[in-house]
Amino acid sequence: MNPTRTDAYLRRLGAERPARPTTEALRDLHLRHLRAVPFENLSIHLGEQVVLNEEALLDKVVARRRGGFCYELNGAFGLLLASLGYEVQLLAGRVHGDDGLGIPYDHLALRVRTVDGGDLIADVGFGAHSHGPLDFGERGEQADPGGTFRVVEAGGDLDVLRNGKPQYRLETRPRTLSDFRAGAWWHSTSPKSHFTQSLVCSRITEDGGRITLSGRTLTTTDAEGRKEARELGTDKEVLAVYRDGFGIGLSEVPTVRGGQFG
């Protein structure tokens, strides 16, 4: 990333360029990212290819002011952090589900080291998760507006728990962005991927709540966890929520396409 792109990315987040790559600055950027850049899988249902390289990620998140899912959001955020002087490693994760762990390269998260000694897990691409980065080496409870988190040993890997429930298992070996292409392809095409079976667009709100559009269901959650859901009737209403609630201008309402192979 060149300085012009870094500045454009920071403007997207409403952030100033940090004087130094500190833990405090990382926490601020992390929360701003969750508020400004939605977690969304619209590309899958709009017939757009998910491309994991620097040019494509920055074009989507910065120039086109879109969101994405974990590979795109954490991939782009990692580029921004590296350009600001942070030491960034990409970590591969497998999501805990009802049937056990997901596929290899199921999830991408970031390990970020700061100039003031911070060693943190940053993750702006897991939907409802921690609002701030988690301490990589802490094994006790970590309080966060998004819940109570723990990072625990799991046979050489690390499990990240939210409110006592395992969310995903992280390898500690650093990876490259290209390592995740097969996982992104599977999640974009397989009928067994929940991303091909549903539409989602979600972000944290300024007051610490959340706004989520799942298909035509608009759900708002306040900072205390109280939810209110309503069905949107017309395409005009849906497009207005994408525009006004998420800053995404669409010419058509996405519809679920399903997977491409069995």
Side-chain angles (χ1 to χ4, degrees):
M1 280 179 69
N2 59 44
T4 299
R5 278 190 158 173
T6 299
D7 289 341
Y9 203 142
L10 291 170
R11 285 195 298 274
R12 171 93 207 264
L13 304 185
E16 299 291 331
R17 181 184 284 265
R20 299 170 65 238
T22 63
T23 298
E24 182 181 0
L26 173 61
R27 292 189 182 281
D28 179 66
L29 291 169
H30 195 281
L31 181 57
R32 288 179 181 273
H33 206 287
L34 291 168
R35 288 172 173 169
V37 186
F39 178 89
E40 49 105 334
N41 67 340
L42 305 184
S43 288
I44 294 170
H45 305 289
L46 290 169
E48 301 171 352
Q49 188 176 5
V50 175
V51 180
L52 298 187
N53 61 46
E54 179 174 333
E55 186 69 28
L57 293 178
L58 296 178
D59 175 69
K60 186 174 184 181
V61 172
V62 181
R64 294 165 54 202
R65 303 183 71 82
R66 283 280 302 279
F69 57 168
C70 69
Y71 311 105
E72 300 167 296
L73 297 179
N74 285 322
F77 191 44
L79 293 170
L80 173 65
L81 295 177
S83 76
L84 294 172
Y86 290 95
E87 181 185 336
V88 180
Q89 295 178 346
L90 309 186
L91 301 183
R94 300 175 70 183
V95 177
H96 284 276
D98 294 337
D99 298 324
L101 290 168
I103 64 168
Y105 301 101
D106 199 19
H107 183 59
L108 187 164
L110 306 173
R111 182 177 185 178
V112 183
R113 293 185 174 92
T114 71
V115 293
D116 53 348
D119 186 3
L120 302 137
I121 300 170
D123 193 344
V124 295
F126 198 65
H129 197 58
S130 63
H131 293 199
L134 302 175
D135 189 323
F136 186 90
E138 173 60 50
R139 296 295 176 259
E141 292 186 347
Q142 301 188 48
D144 181 272
T148 300
F149 292 82
R150 288 186 65 205
V151 180
V152 301
E153 303 288 340
D157 297 328
L158 298 174
D159 272 343
V160 177
L161 283 66
R162 176 180 182 235
N163 297 331
K165 181 179 179 180
Q167 301 297 291
Y168 53 77
R169 179 165 294 175
L170 281 180
E171 298 178 3
T172 56
R173 171 186 170 185
R175 301 291 183 172
T176 65
L177 191 59
S178 61
D179 290 333
F180 295 88
R181 288 173 181 164
W185 174 79
W186 188 89
H187 275 301
S188 300
T189 58
S190 172
K192 296 181 181 179
S193 167
H194 61 275
F195 289 114
T196 63
Q197 298 305 307
S198 61
L199 280 159
V200 64
C201 189
S202 183
R203 69 173 181 85
I204 289 176
T205 54
E206 293 295 323
D207 63 358
R210 179 172 289 276
I211 177 174
T212 301
L213 182 59
S214 300
R216 291 180 178 269
T217 303
L218 176 63
T219 303
T220 55
T221 308
D222 66 19
E224 284 70 46
R226 293 184 292 264
K227 295 178 182 287
E228 181 179 329
R230 66 183 180 93
E231 293 295 313
L232 305 179
T234 67
D235 286 359
K236 183 178 180 180
E237 287 181 282
V238 175
L239 293 174
V241 170
Y242 279 126
R243 181 187 66 242
D244 301 333
F246 302 100
I248 297 176
L250 299 177
S251 59
E252 62 176 312
V253 173
T255 56
V256 173
R257 294 188 173 207
Q260 300 173 17
F261 66 90

